[in-house]
Amino acid sequence: MMPRLGGKYDVEIECISKPRAEFQTDEYFELDLPVAPAVMVGDEIAVEGSDISEEKLEGVICSSLGLPPPEPQKKGIFGRLREE
């Protein structure tokens, strides 16, 4: 999801992956970073402690770039028929 959005918008994507134990240390909490798993866009915490939908993440990216929110995507068979 993130590489696709990084290609669609002019944003740099950085993924940081560490063992869960490293996110639960006193040293990590002193850094004042969000609880993992988390997604940050610039200085804004989009979500922490859970996953985020692609639609919500795209909305946060658009807001950060000063762009209008993306159009909601149609899902299911009706969305596929509309694309054709």
Side-chain angles (χ1 to χ4, degrees):
M1 159 177 50
M2 288 190 293
R4 181 173 54 252
L5 292 175
K8 186 174 181 180
Y9 299 100
D10 187 23
V11 294
E12 181 179 325
I13 305 291
E14 179 183 359
C15 295
I16 300 172
S17 178
K18 297 180 180 187
R20 183 179 300 252
E22 285 189 42
F23 291 113
Q24 296 175 338
T25 63
D26 290 336
E27 292 82 15
Y28 181 81
F29 287 109
E30 289 174 6
L31 296 174
D32 199 31
L33 293 172
V35 176
V39 174
M40 292 181 70
V41 177
D43 292 333
E44 180 182 349
I45 299 171
V47 67
E48 66 178 313
S50 66
D51 291 329
I52 188 171
S53 70
E54 184 170 345
E55 292 81 18
K56 182 175 179 184
L57 178 57
E58 190 170 4
V60 173
I61 290 171
C62 288
S63 176
S64 174
L65 296 173
L67 300 172
E71 293 290 323
Q73 297 295 315
K74 299 279 184 184
K75 298 195 182 204
I77 191 166
F78 294 112
R80 284 179 275 181
L81 289 174
R82 188 169 200 193
E83 291 175 2
E84 296 175 358

